[in-house]
Every structure is written in C-alpha cells, then in structure tokens.
Amino acid sequence: GLVHPFIFPVNFTPITFGLLPDVVLGLVEPHARIFDMNVQACFDGDKELALQALRLDPSCSHLPKEKINEMGNRLLKAHKKFIPMFKV
C-alpha cells in the first residue's frame, strides 16, 4: 500500500493509505523499481548496477547508452564524498 511517513526530530512513523489505483501504479512502478536498483547498487557497491538503473530510467530513454554511461560516471565522481562504496 501507499505509505506516507510522519517525520519527527528523532524518528518517523509510516502511515499506510492502501493500494494505489492501477493507473497510478503503472506510472510509479518503473521509478520505484529503478530506485530499488539504485539502493541495491549502493549497498553492494555495484557501479554496473547503478549504471544499468540509470539506463532504464525513463527520463534517460532518449539518450544513447554511451551518453548515459558517461553521465552516470560523472554523477558518481561528483558525489563520491557521499557514496564512497563506488570506486570512481
């Protein structure tokens, strides 16, 4: 179901709102799967999985694979302070 967290200074409390309507689920699901791939890539330090997730992102679908990989490598390098598990 849809979860909306209430965020407090020391913790957060998730609130469930039920299932998303199919039409909304169809729009949200690809982005959620890509987000999950990115999270897994961070936990595993898997640069190739992170780049694969970027290549699957609908906002990058108009770009050739080489450009997406170049952009991904630039993003990883620019943010290496926050994601040290990737060797760039």
Side-chain angles (χ1 to χ4, degrees):
L2 181 62
V3 177
H4 177 70
F6 284 100
I7 301 173
F8 302 101
V10 293
N11 65 7
F12 69 94
T13 303
I15 307 288
T16 302
F17 290 96
L19 299 176
L20 289 173
D22 287 343
V23 69
V24 175
L25 183 62
L27 295 170
V28 172
E29 192 171 32
H31 298 281
R33 289 183 184 275
I34 291 165
F35 179 81
D36 286 344
M37 288 175 71
N38 279 312
V39 169
Q40 192 62 52
C42 286
F43 279 125
D44 296 344
D46 188 340
K47 179 180 167 184
E48 186 51 43
L49 183 59
L51 293 174
Q52 182 182 10
L54 190 58
R55 289 191 300 266
L56 291 173
D57 192 305
S59 62
C60 296
S61 64
H62 66 287
L63 298 170
K65 179 181 175 180
E66 296 77 24
K67 288 289 185 188
I68 295 171
N69 288 344
E70 178 185 340
M71 178 177 61
N73 284 313
R74 285 178 155 185
L75 286 166
L76 290 172
K77 187 175 180 181
H79 298 285
K80 66 182 176 184
K81 174 179 166 183
F82 305 105
I83 48 174
M85 68 287 294
F86 296 106
K87 304 297 181 223
V88 291

